[in-house]
Amino acid sequence: MNITENLIFNKNIKKYSSSPTPSYVNRDVTKKDIVNIDNCPTPYQQYVITGLLLGDGYMRNSNSNKRSTGNCRLEFTFKASVYEFICWLKFEVLKGLCTDTKPCPYPKENPTQYNFQSKANAFITDLHKIWYSYNSLTNKYTKIVPSNEFLSLYFNEVSLAHWILGDGYYDNNSKTIIICSENFTYEDVLRLIKFLESKYELIATAQKRKLKEGVGYRIRFSSKGDNLENLRNLIKPYMHPLMLYKLG
């Protein structure tokens, strides 16, 4: 565990408990779930953010040319057909971290997708140091998978649900659930697979995919035995009804 991760851990251990997370099934979000302390995410929101960042979520610094002077913000993009889910995520699940403005359509006429950002704050800037690695040759940041120590504290069934909400799908050909994880290295994909097996006894394999440049690997859950049913039981309480199609 590096120094930055230790800093994040120490901040949150003082402010938050590790009590079980609430379910969004058949009830509204309670005030306890969404109240922020000093613009920091609540424990539930931290689990959500971990899942979304393992998917297509990313962090951006508005002062892109002066990264050391500005704070980062979270940014998410989803297809237009799940607009109800997008609003639920922004205005309920991540309430307090985001503004009250509507998600931004792209393109403006007949949009195919919607985007929204969180407010910028120091907590998210600290997260950026954990989730991104700077490449001095390309002068760019690349998203990486945090250490297992970080995941052991900030990844649970809520995270898994939002990871699949963002980047998972049900494959009708193989009759199983797959997570698009091509942006991570093969080694990190294997580490995530082992982490899921260790934490939840879920069995998955790395599925090789040919990309425009090189190859990538998706996480394919085994359909043998009770594996898929166990996965569904873990995450269904945290899924938006519109997105249940991702579970098959």
Side-chain angles (χ1 to χ4, degrees), residues 6-218:
N6 265 314
L7 176 63
I8 295 287
F9 291 162
N10 292 334
K11 280 183 180 179
N12 296 332
I13 288 170
K14 291 177 182 178
K15 289 185 176 182
Y16 307 125
S17 70
S18 57
S19 57
T21 54
S23 166
Y24 282 96
V25 169
N26 297 325
R27 71 168 178 83
D28 294 325
V29 181
T30 67
K31 289 183 179 179
K32 183 179 178 181
D33 297 333
I34 54 83
V35 172
N36 309 108
I37 303 174
D38 299 330
N39 290 323
C40 290
T42 65
Y44 192 93
Q45 289 172 333
Q46 291 179 54
Y47 294 133
V48 169
I49 289 168
T50 297
L52 293 173
L53 287 177
L54 283 171
D56 283 337
Y58 58 99
M59 289 182 247
R60 181 191 300 276
N61 189 308
S62 299
N63 300 324
S64 58
N65 295 323
K66 300 179 181 179
R67 284 193 173 274
S68 62
T69 65
N71 282 323
C72 295
R73 66 181 75 242
L74 298 162
E75 189 163 339
F76 308 103
T77 301
F78 298 96
K79 61 183 181 181
S81 61
V82 296
Y83 184 74
E84 181 183 342
F85 158 74
I86 300 169
C87 291
W88 171 79
L89 183 62
K90 180 177 183 181
F91 299 124
E92 294 189 41
V93 180
L94 297 178
K95 185 175 181 179
L97 296 178
C98 303
T99 66
D100 294 331
T101 58
K102 292 182 179 180
C104 182
Y106 180 84
K108 290 185 177 181
E109 297 294 330
N110 300 316
T112 58
Q113 60 187 29
Y114 283 86
N115 167 284
F116 74 89
Q117 300 178 344
S118 74
K119 301 172 187 175
N121 65 52
F123 185 93
I124 296 172
T125 302
D126 283 340
L127 280 183
H128 187 279
K129 298 169 186 175
I130 293 172
W131 282 90
Y132 285 81
S133 175
Y134 178 69
N135 187 324
S136 59
L137 296 177
T138 61
N139 195 31
K140 292 182 179 179
Y141 286 86
T142 301
K143 190 166 65 172
I144 60 174
V145 178
S147 69
N148 281 12
E149 290 87 352
F150 181 90
L151 294 176
S152 68
L153 285 180
Y154 291 97
F155 185 99
N156 69 358
E157 51 269 37
V158 176
S159 311
L160 182 54
H162 282 270
W163 188 9
I164 290 175
L165 282 168
D167 239 8
Y169 68 96
Y170 184 79
D171 182 60
N172 285 310
N173 292 324
S174 57
K175 305 298 181 185
T176 193
I177 297 168
I178 296 175
I179 298 177
C180 301
S181 50
E182 294 96 325
N183 286 338
F184 297 127
T185 65
Y186 178 58
E187 291 73 21
D188 277 344
V189 170
L190 290 181
R191 180 159 61 87
L192 286 167
I193 289 172
K194 291 179 181 178
F195 180 82
L196 290 173
E197 182 176 5
S198 174
K199 190 172 181 69
Y200 296 117
E201 297 183 352
L202 293 171
I203 306 302
T205 55
Q207 184 182 60
K208 191 174 182 179
R209 297 271 300 180
K210 187 175 182 180
L211 306 177
K212 289 182 179 180
E213 296 183 8
V215 296
Y217 296 86
R218 292 182 173 181

